[in-house]
Amino acid sequence: MHFQWDWLCLGVLIISSVTAGIENEENLDADVEVENFDKQSQEADVDREKSSIEVVYQTPKPTGEVYFTETFDEGLSGWVLSVTLKEDMDDNVAKYDGRWEVEELKENAVPGDKGLVLKSVAKYHAISAMLTKAFFFDDKPLIVQYEVNFQKGIDCGGAYIKLLSSSNDLNLEYFFDKTPYTIMFGPDKCGEDYKLHFIFRHKNPKTGEYDEKHAERPDVDLKKFYLDKKTHLYTLVLKPDDTFEILIDQTVVSKGNLLENMIPPVNPSKEIEDPTDKKPDDWDERPKIPDPNAVKPDDWDEDEPAKIEDPDAVKPEGWLDDEPQYVPDPNARKPKDWDEEMDGEWEAPQIPNPKCETAPGCGEWVHPMKNNPKYKGKWRAPMIDNPNYQGIWSPRKIPNPDYFEDLHPFKMTTVSAIGLELWSMTSDIYFDNFIICSEKEVADRWAADSWGLKKLVASANEPGMFSQLVTAAEEHPWLWVLYILTLALPVGLSVLFCWPGKKSDEYIDFKKTDASKQITKEELKEETEEFEDDELEEEKENEDTGEDEIRSRKLQRNTVQLLQLS
């Protein structure tokens, strides 16, 4: 083991020497280039103010058939602000007077790229636009995709969109919360409830009425997407085989089937409970009943208390009977503005009696209470199985008169417009790069030319590893302990393994007996040859001895001889 630690320490010294040499060379190079560095630093500061990465932005163009696209780079052309009021509310509150603006991102902006920004707080916002062409739910998938950035985080509010149902009387100036829609999709949050809506309105084929069907909640933590102040890409894919996928940043976070994963289900139950069926008066649902044959024992005393005084208790020695538990604070002073006529007679506040701190107790001593061994409580008959138990009653089942079976709920109401009808307690919610199409490749290409650039710029502007560690420690102070331990571990190991240890017994004995002897180089040579002969013999005799141990012995002997010469 001594040999291994010797080589370990030697390796550490060599690495330190090499590192020091490299640092010296770098310092020399730095001295030579110091003048150029100052100029480059100034230029870098100017460039850094503009952007940490040069991105050439061009307004994305769809590469295939689309039903709607919007980049907002040319403003709000084609969008209509609502001028109507919400129903059942005071006119001053029900106005859709929330302000919209078209502007760049506040952080990690791509020069030239603009988006739609919700600007007002605690106001209703409504804006909409007609699709380039209506989408019919027949044999093509529906893909809806857009970007959202909660630039100030989000307290309570939504960032979802509505695909408005086609109708002859659809007027976008009167778009409000009751306007019929086919699909609602997107993020929503209030308090600690983080949602990602996918709702579609299903038409009952028998009654013609519409019901909202909600997709099951995604089984992922959505919190980071709402609070990290980054631009995220939300995608909904609906397929003619009645399946759907929901993606965030092109990663699937939820998927399912319109017939199986919607709440409430699309198709009602074949049978329902008979509303006219009533439970019989003599129906017994009690699985257990008190034993009617049980009799209270004669010695059962219900009047015995649960607790009684302990007659064997003795007042502790040193108990201060005449001292109260609380006394007026001697350091308290009546306030200068105290008015006895208005406030009454002033009394100092009470504090614990200092004399009671060292005593077992103060005040009148009373016997402590203990459990009453005679206590039994109120007598009750033991429970037994009910011989007349008939089970839990439920109404009989009858065929559901409203039953229907829609095997293809994908065939929804045609969509002809897109709208945002929102209320929020946080401003500056950013929307951008809407696309509605039928080919995933088209949506992916659109995302690469738009959201992909935002992601690239945001990644380039992220702080370095050290800054991220410091930021994380500011949020979670316990991380400082982990950092310190991580840095201290290699230092501690180096000290433990490389610090000069206790000299071997063999070396101590040698110094005691032979320290005064003088030795010449010729004698050393002869002894070295003798040692080598002895080593050869030892190697032959001890074939099982490890090479490390043999080398260690040789190293120790040579070290001793060198010490003698010195």
Side-chain angles (χ1 to χ4, degrees):
M1 292 296 292
H2 289 294
F3 170 76
Q4 294 177 356
W5 299 137
D6 291 340
W7 278 102
L8 176 60
C9 294
L10 180 61
V12 171
L13 291 174
I14 293 174
I15 293 173
S16 300
S17 301
V18 173
T19 305
I22 294 174
E23 290 178 351
N24 290 335
E25 292 178 1
E26 291 178 348
N27 290 336
L28 290 174
D29 293 339
D31 292 338
V32 174
E33 298 178 0
V34 66
E35 295 181 358
N36 293 334
F37 174 78
D38 291 337
K39 296 179 180 179
Q40 294 174 359
S41 178
Q42 294 174 359
E43 294 174 356
D45 290 340
V46 174
D47 293 340
R48 195 177 295 110
E49 291 178 359
K50 297 178 180 179
S51 176
S52 62
I53 184 173
E54 291 294 335
V55 173
V56 178
Y57 173 76
Q58 292 183 346
T59 300
K61 303 293 183 183
T63 58
E65 182 183 16
V66 296
Y67 301 90
F68 181 78
T69 60
E70 180 58 81
T71 65
F72 300 104
D73 293 343
E74 302 298 328
L76 286 175
S77 176
W79 289 83
V80 179
L81 292 171
S82 178
V83 296
T84 190
L85 302 174
K86 290 178 70 73
E87 294 181 351
D88 303 325
M89 297 185 71
D90 185 85
D91 289 352
N92 294 328
V93 180
K95 293 180 180 179
Y96 283 96
D97 56 353
R99 188 163 56 92
W100 299 92
E101 295 288 347
V102 173
E103 56 190 31
E104 293 185 352
L105 281 168
K106 295 185 179 298
E107 297 181 6
N108 301 319
V110 178
D113 184 20
K114 296 180 180 180
L116 176 68
V117 182
L118 180 149
K119 301 295 293 185
S120 306
V121 174
K123 289 183 177 292
Y124 292 103
H125 303 71
I127 191 171
S128 55
M130 297 297 295
L131 302 189
T132 306
K133 58 180 179 179
F135 181 86
F136 296 90
F137 292 87
D138 44 30
D139 58 350
K140 291 183 179 181
L142 171 68
I143 299 173
V144 183
Q145 183 170 278
Y146 69 107
E147 302 168 12
V148 176
N149 187 321
F150 296 107
Q151 299 185 93
K152 293 183 178 179
I154 182 68
D155 180 23
C156 185
Y160 46 80
I161 63 172
K162 292 180 178 180
L163 300 185
L164 306 183
S165 303
S166 295
S167 65
N168 295 329
D169 58 350
L170 178 60
N171 187 338
L172 298 186
E173 289 187 350
Y174 297 98
F175 168 49
F176 71 135
D177 59 324
K178 297 294 193 297
T179 300
Y181 69 89
T182 299
I183 289 174
M184 177 173 142
F185 170 65
D188 189 13
K189 185 254 183 184
C190 199
E192 290 301 312
D193 189 11
Y194 299 86
K195 299 179 181 179
L196 181 55
H197 293 296
F198 164 42
I199 305 171
F200 78 93
R201 295 175 71 245
H202 178 260
K203 183 178 181 180
N204 187 314
K206 296 188 69 173
T207 65
E209 297 179 353
Y210 285 86
D211 294 316
E212 290 185 348
K213 309 298 180 181
H214 298 246
E216 296 173 352
R217 295 178 70 102
D219 190 21
V220 296
D221 184 9
L222 299 173
K223 185 174 182 178
K224 64 178 181 179
F225 301 111
Y226 296 71
L227 303 180
D228 62 5
K229 301 180 182 179
K230 295 182 179 179
T231 303
H232 293 290
L233 185 71
Y234 294 88
T235 308
L236 170 66
V237 180
L238 267 176
K239 300 179 181 179
D241 63 358
D242 301 300
T243 61
F244 67 88
E245 288 183 344
I246 299 174
L247 302 90
I248 302 180
D249 297 343
Q250 298 184 317
T251 298
V252 176
V253 297
S254 178
K255 61 182 178 180
N257 190 292
L258 297 178
L259 291 169
E260 301 172 0
N261 303 106
M262 306 303 293
I263 303 172
V266 169
N267 295 316
S269 301
K270 290 184 178 181
E271 293 183 327
I272 61 171
E273 295 179 346
D274 185 355
T276 63
D277 191 16
K278 305 298 182 183
K279 182 173 70 172
D281 294 337
D282 59 350
W283 190 277
D284 196 341
E285 293 182 323
R286 300 172 300 165
K288 296 280 186 179
I289 60 171
D291 185 355
N293 299 321
V295 179
K296 182 173 71 173
D298 295 335
D299 61 348
W300 193 284
D301 189 351
E302 296 182 346
D303 297 328
E304 284 286 346
K307 297 281 187 179
I308 59 173
E309 288 187 352
D310 185 359
D312 300 326
V314 179
K315 181 172 66 174
E317 184 177 354
W319 188 279
L320 305 178
D321 296 270
D322 299 329
E323 290 289 340
Q325 293 183 354
Y326 292 91
V327 296
D329 185 358
N331 299 320
R333 297 290 181 268
K334 182 172 69 174
K336 294 181 179 180
D337 58 350
W338 186 275
D339 187 342
E340 293 192 354
E341 293 183 359
M342 297 291 295
D343 304 324
E345 184 180 356
W346 181 82
E347 295 180 357
Q350 299 286 306
I351 62 171
N353 190 343
K355 296 180 180 179
C356 299
E357 294 180 358
T358 56
C362 291
E364 182 183 359
W365 182 83
V366 295
H367 284 269
M369 304 297 286
K370 69 172 187 177
N371 292 329
N372 184 1
K374 297 180 181 180
Y375 172 75
K376 294 184 178 180
K378 185 175 178 62
W379 182 84
R380 291 181 175 83
M383 302 298 288
I384 62 173
D385 292 334
N386 183 2
N388 298 320
Y389 176 65
Q390 296 174 272
I392 303 300
W393 183 86
S394 60
R396 63 174 174 267
K397 299 287 186 178
I398 61 173
N400 184 357
D402 298 324
Y403 172 75
F404 63 84
E405 187 176 29
D406 182 355
L407 297 179
H408 298 293
F410 172 79
K411 295 185 179 298
M412 304 176 190
T413 305
T414 301
V415 172
S416 61
I418 182 174
L420 292 87
E421 189 267 322
L422 304 169
W423 182 90
S424 176
M425 289 300 296
T426 309
S427 63
D428 290 322
I429 302 176
Y430 177 95
F431 302 85
D432 201 4
N433 296 315
F434 291 90
I435 185 171
I436 300 175
C437 60
S438 293
E439 299 177 64
K440 189 64 167 60
E441 295 78 8
V442 174
D444 290 343
R445 182 62 185 175
W446 177 268
D449 294 341
S450 53
W451 174 75
L453 292 181
K454 291 187 177 72
K455 183 179 179 182
L456 180 64
V457 170
S459 298
N461 291 339
E462 285 184 354
M465 179 63 71
F466 180 77
S467 299
Q468 294 183 36
L469 292 175
V470 172
T471 302
E474 290 175 351
E475 296 178 359
H476 307 285
W478 57 267
L479 285 174
W480 286 115
V481 178
L482 182 61
Y483 296 165
I484 293 171
L485 291 176
T486 303
L487 293 173
L489 182 61
V491 175
L493 290 175
S494 299
V495 172
L496 177 64
F497 295 140
C498 298
W499 196 263
K502 185 178 179 181
K503 296 180 179 179
S504 65
D505 294 339
E506 181 181 349
Y507 174 70
I508 293 173
D509 293 341
F510 180 86
K511 291 295 289 181
K512 286 180 180 179
T513 58
D514 299 337
S516 61
K517 293 182 180 181
Q518 298 293 327
I519 186 169
T520 64
K521 293 184 178 180
E522 290 77 7
E523 292 175 344
L524 175 60
K525 183 176 181 181
E526 293 176 0
E527 290 185 7
T528 302
E529 292 176 354
E530 291 178 2
F531 283 136
E532 292 177 352
D533 295 338
D534 292 341
E535 288 172 0
L536 293 174
E537 292 178 1
E538 289 177 2
E539 290 177 358
K540 294 178 180 178
E541 294 174 358
N542 304 309
E543 293 181 355
D544 295 334
T545 302
E547 292 183 1
D548 289 346
E549 185 176 352
I550 295 172
R551 292 177 179 174
S552 180
R553 291 176 182 174
K554 182 176 179 180
L555 179 61
Q556 290 174 355
R557 290 170 180 170
N558 291 341
T559 302
V560 169
Q561 302 302 325
L562 291 173
L563 288 172
Q564 281 188 322
L565 285 175
S566 62

